[in-house]
Amino acid sequence: MLETVKYLLGSAGPSGYGSKSTAEQVTDRRDLRSITAIITGATSGIGAETARVLAKRGARLVLPARNLKAAEDARARIASECPGSEIVVMALDLSSLASIRSFVAEFESLDLPLNLLINNAGKFAHNHAISEDGIEMTFATNYLGHFLLTKLLLNKMVETARATGVQGRIVNVSSTIHGWFSGDIIGHLGLITRDKSQYDATRAYALSKLANVLHTRELARRLKQMEANVTANCVHPGIVRTRLTREREGFVTDLVFFLASKLLKTIPQAAATTCYVATHPRLANTSGKYFSDCNEASPSKLGSSSLEASRLWSASEIMVSRDPKAAFGLPDPSH
């Protein structure tokens, strides 16, 4: 109850910020002119606001998008507000492993540094679909695509941090909804990939967001083991109405959002936690953590499991390297 009251009031936490803080406020007086950032899902909503604010602080942006016209429109909007900003638009379909590999090869050919990777793009698919690689579409887009993207860009980030002395940061955008999933992660993914009748859109979304949390945990552990000057953290941006719900428009959705309106954040408020974790000096060397309302928070019990994080990583390596469905044969560690 106390946490809800604090949220509604926008009370500042230990960081000095809270639920009402905006992306511009948490990056105030931040000079990002030496930073190059890749932001997925930056054509609308929270990603677009994150990109706008980082450009305003001087960062060079790379905006990968499936819809290149939408990305060009986003670039034009940012350029009109921030003349002289450097923004590169590139093609990327996160649900396609081949597209991700093509994007990374093209990015590497530009010979740019990479200080910041914000894995923000998200999909809430009402209808069951399978990616071209044979994986349930929500999981493929929200998690597996970002897993491979991060894996392929990691050497560039480590090299950039070594050459510049500036710590690299990876920010995975998750959701508090990750706590709605319980059970066998890999087993359930295999089930909804094979059997359309078992598909529940909300549970599939929760599964993908739990995977983002677990990815962050294992990635941070591996970065520390490598002694890389790169951190990885995860954020819950808050509840906000964005284009993510575009497949669920209608009376019921409208009613739910109306009733929950006092709990909704504006898009500038929703982008604040991402921008805080991506840029604030206070978070130097902070890695493997989960943030909400610009303050460290606790993920779900399953999201805190190092065993599940390691298991998901192993399955993900199989999914991106050979027959993805072979990963579904991994044993459940609870049995």
Side-chain angles (χ1 to χ4, degrees), residues 117-233:
L117 173 61
I118 300 179
N119 291 319
N120 165 83
K123 179 182 182 68
F124 193 123
H126 179 55
N127 297 314
H128 181 267
I130 301 295
S131 75
E132 65 182 43
D133 302 293
I135 299 292
E136 187 279 316
M137 188 63 84
T138 300
F139 187 89
T141 306
N142 294 358
Y143 166 70
L144 192 63
H146 283 128
F147 173 85
L148 180 60
L149 182 67
T150 304
K151 174 185 169 73
L152 297 179
L153 290 172
L154 207 53
N155 283 342
K156 172 63 74 173
M157 293 196 75
V158 172
E159 289 166 12
T160 300
R162 189 182 296 127
T164 62
V166 177
Q167 190 168 69
R169 296 190 184 189
I170 298 166
V171 182
N172 289 331
V173 178
S174 181
S175 168
T176 190
I177 290 171
H178 81 270
W180 294 11
F181 184 89
S182 61
D184 176 11
I185 298 169
I186 306 303
H188 187 71
L189 174 62
L191 182 67
I192 61 175
T193 294
R194 290 190 304 267
D195 187 351
K196 181 179 178 179
S197 69
Q198 298 294 321
Y199 182 74
D200 176 85
T202 302
R203 193 154 192 240
Y205 183 74
L207 170 62
S208 71
K209 290 303 180 180
L210 172 61
N212 292 147
V213 175
L214 292 171
H215 176 218
T216 304
R217 186 176 189 86
E218 180 66 9
L219 177 60
R221 186 189 73 78
R222 287 168 180 259
L223 287 166
K224 184 177 181 181
Q225 197 174 49
M226 290 164 58
E227 298 184 350
N229 190 22
V230 178
T231 63
N233 290 292

Side-chain angles (χ1 to χ4, degrees), residues 25-295:
Q25 288 170 344
V26 303
T27 59
D28 190 34
R29 294 191 294 277
R30 204 79 66 243
D31 183 354
L32 303 181
R33 284 176 293 184
S34 64
I35 299 298
T36 298
I38 292 177
I39 309 170
T40 67
T43 58
S44 65
I46 296 167
E49 176 67 0
T50 300
R52 182 189 73 82
V53 171
L54 295 188
K56 190 171 184 177
R57 305 302 180 219
R60 175 199 285 130
L61 303 182
V62 176
L63 306 184
R66 192 177 50 165
N67 184 334
L68 289 178
K69 184 185 183 305
E72 291 291 356
D73 290 345
R75 173 164 65 179
R77 285 195 301 272
I78 295 169
S80 67
E81 183 181 344
C82 313
S85 53
E86 189 177 345
I87 305 167
V88 180
V89 167
M90 297 174 67
L92 172 63
D93 178 353
L94 277 165
S95 72
S96 163
L97 300 179
S99 176
I100 293 162
R101 290 189 172 96
S102 295
F103 165 80
V104 172
E106 188 181 350
F107 174 75
E108 288 178 340
S109 74
L110 299 177
D111 202 27
L112 292 173
L114 181 58
N115 310 91
L116 178 58
L117 173 61
I118 300 179
N119 291 319
N120 165 83
K123 179 182 182 68
F124 193 123
H126 179 55
N127 297 314
H128 181 267
I130 301 295
S131 75
E132 65 182 43
D133 302 293
I135 299 292
E136 187 279 316
M137 188 63 84
T138 300
F139 187 89
T141 306
N142 294 358
Y143 166 70
L144 192 63
H146 283 128
F147 173 85
L148 180 60
L149 182 67
T150 304
K151 174 185 169 73
L152 297 179
L153 290 172
L154 207 53
N155 283 342
K156 172 63 74 173
M157 293 196 75
V158 172
E159 289 166 12
T160 300
R162 189 182 296 127
T164 62
V166 177
Q167 190 168 69
R169 296 190 184 189
I170 298 166
V171 182
N172 289 331
V173 178
S174 181
S175 168
T176 190
I177 290 171
H178 81 270
W180 294 11
F181 184 89
S182 61
D184 176 11
I185 298 169
I186 306 303
H188 187 71
L189 174 62
L191 182 67
I192 61 175
T193 294
R194 290 190 304 267
D195 187 351
K196 181 179 178 179
S197 69
Q198 298 294 321
Y199 182 74
D200 176 85
T202 302
R203 193 154 192 240
Y205 183 74
L207 170 62
S208 71
K209 290 303 180 180
L210 172 61
N212 292 147
V213 175
L214 292 171
H215 176 218
T216 304
R217 186 176 189 86
E218 180 66 9
L219 177 60
R221 186 189 73 78
R222 287 168 180 259
L223 287 166
K224 184 177 181 181
Q225 197 174 49
M226 290 164 58
E227 298 184 350
N229 190 22
V230 178
T231 63
N233 290 292
C234 195
V235 305
H236 163 53
I239 305 167
V240 59
R241 189 167 195 178
T242 69
R243 290 185 64 221
L244 189 66
T245 60
R246 61 188 174 273
E247 292 182 37
R248 284 183 166 248
E249 294 299 316
F251 174 75
V252 174
T253 303
D254 290 340
L255 180 62
V256 168
F257 274 95
F258 173 75
L259 294 174
S261 61
K262 295 300 180 187
L263 296 174
L264 292 182
K265 287 187 175 186
T266 65
I267 286 177
Q269 290 168 349
T273 305
T274 299
C275 288
Y276 172 73
V277 173
T279 68
H280 206 287
R282 184 183 290 119
L283 296 185
N285 302 317
T286 298
S287 194
K289 304 298 183 183
Y290 176 78
F291 289 83
S292 178
D293 298 332
C294 300
N295 287 277

